[in-house]
Amino acid sequence: MWKYIGVKECNEFLLSLNLLNCKDEKKYIKTIYSLSNNIENNYKIYNIKKKNGKLRKIYEPNNILKHIQRKILENILNNKSISIYAKAYHKGISLKDNALPHLNKDVILKLDIKNFFESISFFNVYESCFSIEYFPKSVGMILTYLCTYDDHLTQGSPTSAYISNLVMKEFDEDIGNWCTTNNINYTRYSDDMTFSGNFNPSEVINLVRNNLSKLGLEINNDKIHVIRKSSRQSVTGIVVNEKIQVSIKYRKDIRQEMYYINKYGLKNHLKVKNIKMNHKNYLNKLYGKILYVLQINSSDKEFIEYKKIIKKLKETSNL
């Protein structure tokens, strides 16, 4: 289809994608080529600490590259469908949707993909998102360079999350169809895969391991968890034994904060607990936690009451 397209036609194709708010066509094309040819010079790289104390490397694109990536996401990637088994990184889907299929099951198997984003290669991205089936090869390569760093996907770019779902689409469909045939529930939330039902975990693990290897991905052997019904079963932080609910600790921490607010008042509570946060920010954060609990279980009377209390405090603090 694109066999006889030359440089002029490729440049016109790039212009048609509206990746930059620039009316000067020569400057537009020059900027796109310059960024794609020197991609590593357009990122700020830093580490953030994870909950387990380990460090996560973040790649933050500069403002121009970030703008282009957002346009690629809006104008190209969002038009591509992902698997029904993917439960992260798209509108209308939440953690609750990832947990519900695994409610009240005999066995839950949780698997994690090792170094997920960093292991998704330039070739994976090109084939899944920008291949010659949809773009002239040179355009597809430029778009792939604009969405990767050092030949891999990054954490920090606007495009990375949705691209990961597109890369995993065929995997999700193959695994999901096999699971449906074998009466097993399957969902994937980013690098977290969950399987539930009554099955042999080893069989599923071997199948997943073989299918991931086709993409150059691996299971994280340190994060293989088989959870029986007799134990607390949680999926991406949501307990699913008999009804979906956030963890006891999460609820307990909010309950404790509400107790101290009611006992001492908001101002004294922040002082006693040495919380270095202004009233507005603290209330917004606590309100968000309460809304999360209600998102998972909207009929929780205790937290409905907490919502009313904090909402009233928020209104008072704004006076």
Side-chain angles (χ1 to χ4, degrees):
M1 180 177 177
W2 309 110
K3 187 175 180 181
Y4 300 106
I5 285 184
V7 174
K8 180 183 176 182
E9 290 79 11
C10 285
N11 288 345
E12 288 175 351
F13 199 109
L14 284 169
L15 287 166
S16 73
L17 296 175
N18 297 314
L19 302 180
L20 277 171
N21 297 325
C22 179
K23 294 182 179 180
D24 185 330
E25 294 185 356
K26 288 185 178 180
K27 185 177 180 182
Y28 177 108
I29 294 299
K30 184 179 179 180
T31 301
I32 297 295
Y33 277 94
S34 176
L35 286 169
S36 63
N37 289 331
N38 300 280
I39 200 70
E40 282 81 10
N41 296 326
N42 291 280
Y43 280 89
K44 176 185 176 183
I45 304 172
Y46 56 92
N47 294 316
I48 61 172
K49 189 172 287 188
K50 297 192 288 186
K51 289 182 180 180
N52 61 10
K54 294 183 179 180
L55 297 177
R56 174 180 284 120
K57 186 172 285 188
I58 300 296
Y59 301 77
E60 183 180 355
N62 62 28
N63 290 337
I64 296 175
L65 181 57
K66 188 179 291 184
H67 174 85
I68 290 172
Q69 290 175 344
R70 283 175 177 156
K71 287 297 182 180
I72 292 173
L73 180 64
E74 294 169 11
N75 300 343
I76 301 172
L77 300 175
N78 281 341
N79 296 320
K80 297 176 179 289
S81 64
I82 62 175
S83 169
I84 61 170
Y85 303 102
K87 303 299 182 181
Y89 308 138
H90 60 111
K91 292 180 181 178
I93 295 293
S94 68
L95 285 168
K96 185 175 180 179
D97 296 294
N98 187 55
L100 272 173
H102 310 292
L103 179 63
N104 199 22
K105 296 296 189 292
D106 290 333
V107 177
I108 286 181
L109 168 66
K110 292 161 55 170
L111 302 176
D112 178 87
I113 302 172
K114 187 176 182 180
N115 299 326
F116 184 47
F117 283 96
E118 292 82 355
S119 297
I120 294 177
S121 70
F122 181 97
F123 178 77
N124 292 148
V125 176
Y126 175 78
E127 284 293 302
S128 301
C129 305
F130 308 115
S131 71
I132 201 165
E133 181 180 355
Y134 304 103
F135 300 95
K137 186 172 181 179
S138 58
V139 172
M141 295 292 282
I142 288 170
L143 292 172
T144 306
Y145 276 117
L146 290 170
C147 294
T148 56
Y149 176 98
D150 193 23
D151 293 338
H152 64 79
L153 213 54
T154 67
Q155 293 192 65
S157 296
T159 46
S160 292
Y162 204 82
I163 284 175
S164 71
N165 278 338
L166 293 171
V167 169
M168 295 296 291
K169 183 178 180 180
E170 187 175 346
F171 169 90
D172 286 335
E173 295 297 330
D174 288 344
I175 295 296
N177 290 336
W178 183 88
C179 285
T180 299
T181 300
N182 290 276
N183 199 28
I184 301 170
N185 296 284
Y186 164 64
T187 61
R188 181 181 58 79
Y189 193 92
S190 187
D191 56 351
D192 293 321
M193 296 171 286
T194 307
F195 304 82
S196 63
N198 193 349
F199 58 95
N200 179 357
S202 296
E203 186 178 7
V204 174
I205 291 169
N206 289 334
L207 177 70
V208 170
R209 199 184 297 280
N210 289 335
N211 280 43
L212 282 178
S213 67
K214 298 174 186 177
L215 291 169
L217 303 176
E218 300 177 48
I219 289 176
N220 186 339
N221 292 324
D222 295 330
K223 292 186 177 181
I224 297 175
H225 300 290
V226 179
I227 313 170
R228 307 289 174 179
K229 199 171 184 179
S230 56
S231 301
R232 185 176 73 89
Q233 297 174 319
S234 68
V235 176
T236 47
I238 300 173
V239 179
V240 294
N241 286 77
E242 295 180 358
K243 63 178 182 179
I244 59 170
Q245 186 65 279
V246 298
S247 70
I248 293 174
K249 184 181 184 306
Y250 194 91
R251 289 163 54 83
K252 183 180 178 182
D253 288 345
I254 295 173
R255 191 177 291 118
Q256 187 178 61
E257 289 188 77
M258 293 302 301
Y259 170 78
Y260 285 125
I261 289 172
N262 289 328
K263 183 175 181 179
Y264 300 115
L266 177 61
K267 185 177 180 180
N268 287 331
H269 162 58
L270 295 179
K271 186 177 180 180
V272 169
K273 288 295 180 179
N274 197 30
I275 297 173
K276 305 295 185 182
M277 194 180 296
N278 65 47
H279 295 185
K280 184 179 178 181
N281 289 343
Y282 173 78
L283 289 172
N284 285 338
K285 186 176 181 180
L286 181 55
Y287 192 68
K289 291 179 181 179
I290 293 167
L291 290 181
Y292 173 64
V293 174
L294 292 173
Q295 180 189 9
I296 305 305
N297 182 5
S298 59
S299 61
D300 192 312
K301 293 180 180 179
E302 178 187 4
F303 282 81
I304 290 173
E305 188 60 31
Y306 290 163
K307 178 184 174 183
K308 292 177 183 177
I309 294 170
I310 297 302
K311 189 174 182 181
K312 189 173 181 179
L313 281 172
K314 277 162 58 71
E315 292 169 355
T316 304
S317 66
N318 287 331
L319 294 177

